[in-house]
Amino acid sequence: CVMTSPFASTPNPDDRLRLLHEIDTWSEDPESVLIEALRDPYPAVRFFAAEELASRALAEDVLVKMVDETETDAAQRAAAVLGLRRPLSASSIATVVNATRDDDPTVRYHAMLALDENTKTAPLKEVATRAVSDEDDDVAIVAAQWAAQFGWVDLASAIDESRRGRNAKDVRLQFAIALVGLVPDELPGGTVHDLIEGLSDDRTARAAALAIATADVKAAVPSLVTVTRKFWYHVIIRIDAAAVLASLGEEIGFEKLRRFVLDRKEHVAAYACECVGRYKLEPLEDAVAEVVWSTDDRALAAVVALNQLGTDSARAMLSRVEQSHPVEEAAFKVGESTIEVGAH
């Protein structure tokens, strides 16, 4: 009599998924069950099994074979290549590189993610040079992000051409951000428009604002001011917009960020202090110096910000904090943040 596993005999896909979550409590051979689950008709089951195989570093040879087999359907190939998101052997990397040319966009995308786990050994630039023009937005975005991460300036024109051919504004924004990472002083035409357009959506406004600061885009000032006034945007987005305005030399940015630094809400003031330090906004040092005597997380953020500002008056204030702050953790943070800032 052959025993049937609880997984194989469970008709409900949600119950099968639950069994996979609890696999170590009932299976003596989790690897075999997870491999079996890669062929499950329910996508959530397949992808959970793949992620488990990846995190446990199991069944690499089996997964590579599934990716290679032409008779394996696309859904199973996608799950199999997702399971290869871990450090891989050279032969397995070759299979994953080949999967970036698969007819199915999900397989190609998961192959890109698997290669992203092998940045020191995979031929990323070779793949990115081709993939940056991929018809699938997600695949092409990963390639553009690699180019920005590794400084492949020679791919900037290909990234820009790919950006121009995309329809969705949030997708064009991702390419624009990659171009900021590569050529911040020589942005191609239309890139600034895409960055500014990104400010109009609260899902992308923060990323757009940070890229605008990096590229010093003065044309974005009116749109950034509008963001600071959109009270339905998350406060962190509005703080970022104010900080970017200040970094661009706009007085309204300093005024708004000062109010955030002195805000009664702990998380608001703490993040505003972080922005003052990040952009080295010295005109706001006095506000941060006021906050540093708080007895909550605002004090810790202010200590780091004063260290980042690095002025003589900021160092003098930190010396006082170290000697007499009522919160011992804040005094300790002075020495700790000095080490952190000095390491950069």
Side-chain angles (χ1 to χ4, degrees):
C1 177
V2 178
M3 293 291 291
T4 303
S5 76
F7 178 82
S9 60
T10 300
N12 186 292
D14 291 327
D15 289 339
R16 293 199 299 277
L17 185 58
R18 177 183 53 79
L19 283 171
L20 291 186
H21 278 279
E22 302 169 355
I23 193 169
D24 290 319
T25 66
W26 60 267
S27 175
E28 295 181 358
D29 186 9
E31 181 174 0
S32 295
V33 176
L34 291 168
I35 291 171
E36 176 188 359
L38 291 175
R39 304 183 187 279
D40 195 280
Y42 191 53
V45 172
R46 292 196 303 273
F47 291 144
F48 181 82
E51 288 167 352
E52 281 296 293
L53 287 168
S55 66
R56 298 171 184 236
L58 296 173
E60 181 175 329
D61 292 344
V62 174
L63 294 169
V64 166
K65 185 177 180 181
M66 287 182 68
V67 174
D68 267 339
E69 287 178 345
T70 55
E71 62 268 24
T72 305
D73 69 31
Q76 292 174 14
R77 289 201 309 279
V81 77
L82 180 63
L84 292 172
R85 287 188 66 180
R86 88 275 295 266
L88 297 170
S89 66
S91 60
S92 295
I93 287 174
T95 294
V96 175
V97 167
N98 191 53
T100 63
R101 301 182 179 90
D102 197 278
D103 291 338
D104 185 84
T106 304
V107 174
R108 298 199 301 275
Y109 176 61
H110 286 172
M112 298 290 284
L113 298 183
L115 292 178
D116 197 52
E117 300 287 335
N118 294 270
T119 57
K120 293 183 179 179
T121 51
L124 297 189
K125 188 172 184 180
E126 172 192 322
V127 173
T129 301
R130 167 175 41 81
V132 75
S133 302
D134 196 286
E135 63 182 18
D136 183 79
D137 292 337
D138 292 329
V139 172
I141 286 170
V142 174
Q145 290 171 340
W146 285 348
Q149 178 182 348
F150 297 108
W152 300 330
V153 177
D154 55 314
L155 294 187
S157 60
I159 291 171
D160 182 50
E161 183 179 351
S162 189
R163 175 189 65 83
R164 293 171 186 271
R166 307 289 160 171
N167 294 320
K169 67 177 185 179
D170 58 325
V171 173
R172 291 197 306 274
L173 175 63
Q174 294 301 315
F175 285 94
I177 291 172
L179 288 167
V180 168
L182 286 172
V183 287
D185 300 322
E186 302 174 5
L187 293 177
T191 307
V192 168
H193 173 270
D194 287 341
L195 291 172
I196 293 174
E197 195 172 38
L199 295 171
S200 65
D201 188 329
D202 62 349
R203 296 170 300 176
T204 58
R206 189 173 184 222
L210 297 178
I212 284 166
T214 300
D216 198 31
V217 180
K218 306 287 189 186
V221 167
S223 296
L224 287 165
V225 172
T226 299
V227 171
T228 66
R229 294 171 176 161
K230 288 185 174 181
F231 292 101
W232 56 94
Y233 276 19
H234 193 285
V235 67
I236 296 300
I237 299 173
R238 290 185 279 122
I239 293 171
D240 275 322
V244 172
L245 281 166
S247 76
L248 294 173
E250 297 295 320
E251 185 59 35
I252 190 172
F254 285 105
E255 292 171 1
K256 289 181 176 293
L257 190 57
R258 178 181 293 275
R259 287 200 288 271
F260 284 128
V261 169
L262 299 175
D263 196 283
R264 290 179 301 169
K265 300 183 187 70
E266 181 181 336
H267 72 286
V268 170
Y271 186 68
C273 286
E274 287 181 29
C275 289
V276 171
R278 181 192 309 151
Y279 294 110
K280 297 188 182 301
L281 302 173
E282 292 183 16
L284 295 178
E285 181 186 318
D286 62 320
V288 176
E290 182 179 332
V291 171
V292 81
W293 294 103
S294 304
T295 55
D296 50 38
D297 284 350
R298 288 176 291 181
L300 306 184
V303 164
V304 174
L306 289 170
N307 247 317
Q308 291 173 319
L309 289 173
T311 63
D312 290 342
S313 54
R315 284 193 290 270
M317 178 60 71
L318 288 172
S319 180
R320 288 177 54 200
V321 168
E322 194 167 27
Q323 294 169 14
S324 57
H325 200 286
V327 178
E328 184 178 343
E329 187 180 357
F332 172 76
K333 190 71 175 178
V334 172
E336 185 183 63
S337 63
T338 301
I339 294 171
E340 290 173 355
V341 173
H344 292 296

